Amino acid sequence: MVTSHSVATARPPGAASRRRGAVLERAILEAALEQLSTVGWNGLTMEGVAVGAQTGKAAVYRRWSSKEDLVADALRSALPALGEAPDHGNVREDLHQLCRRVRAAMYSKPGFALRAVIHECDGETSERFQALILTGVTDPSKRLLREVVERGVERGEVRADAPGDLVYDVIPAMMMYRAKVCGSEWSDVEIVEMIDQVMVPLLRS
């Protein structure tokens, strides 16, 4: 005779708590971010993501037909927001606080994941992520820099002809370059040096 107890013990481990729907999707997206931040784009596999999410490979493929689609959704769901532009009464301090936020975003798990995509994808693949990078990273950071600089112009700290797209590219470009090429983790000292030696002279009234 089969008892309810014997049926329960015959179930596969974890069957009673099997995840579905949004809970399972979140676990898969988090596993994709973990893979990206540890083994990078080239090392990420759908099978590895399934293992990390403690689910079957079929559950991943039912939701995302390709690695590119999965990674795009994982990044889109997790990229940290930079918030509002800081306003401490002077452009130097505002830039300092903003750079600290950018550093925190760069060294978050989604930040590591995004850098893996940027630096490891070939040209054709990276084109699929350009809109995501623009809307999720580049545009928000440049918007905050623009607010900080334009507020500095209003206070007379920044010369009126200083604002421009190239100026707004300086901080993100330097931080990304030195993190990738020089292995910099952007200590507080390095941030201050960048602001005092590069940005303040560049903007000075």
Side-chain angles (χ1 to χ4, degrees), residues 186-202:
W186 283 101
S187 66
D188 286 346
V189 171
E190 288 180 299
I191 288 175
V192 169
E193 288 176 346
M194 175 175 61
I195 293 169
D196 287 346
Q197 297 177 22
V198 179
M199 293 306 297
V200 170
L202 184 63

Side-chain angles (χ1 to χ4, degrees), residues 46-89:
M46 300 290 266
E47 293 82 356
V49 170
V51 171
Q54 298 182 340
T55 190
K57 183 171 64 174
V60 180
Y61 276 107
R62 275 197 301 271
R63 293 161 174 81
W64 296 277
S65 61
S66 69
K67 169 176 166 177
E68 290 82 2
D69 291 340
L70 171 59
V71 167
D73 277 354
L75 290 172
R76 192 176 293 111
S77 69
L79 287 174
L82 294 176
E84 298 300 317
D87 186 3
H88 297 277

Side-chain angles (χ1 to χ4, degrees), residues 4 22 25 30 35 76 78 80 112 119 127 131 135 138 160 164 167 196 200 202:
S4 60
E25 288 187 4
E30 289 179 353
Q35 284 253 312
R76 192 176 293 111
F112 277 113
H119 296 303
E127 287 181 2
T135 59
T138 306
V167 171
D196 287 346
V200 170
L202 184 63

Side-chain angles (χ1 to χ4, degrees), residues 82 85 91 94-95 98-99 102 134 137-154 158-176 194 198-200 202-203:
L82 294 176
V91 71
D94 290 346
L95 289 173
L98 186 53
C99 287
V102 172
L134 282 173
V137 180
T138 306
D139 289 348
S141 62
K142 290 178 73 170
R143 175 180 61 81
L144 297 185
L145 284 166
R146 183 179 294 106
E147 289 185 32
V148 166
V149 171
E150 289 179 350
R151 195 182 295 129
V153 172
E154 293 172 1
V158 175
R159 69 179 192 277
D161 64 342
D165 283 343
L166 290 177
V167 171
Y168 305 136
D169 281 340
V170 170
I171 287 177
M174 284 192 65
M175 294 187 76
M176 186 66 73
M194 175 175 61
V198 179
M199 293 306 297
V200 170
L202 184 63
L203 300 171

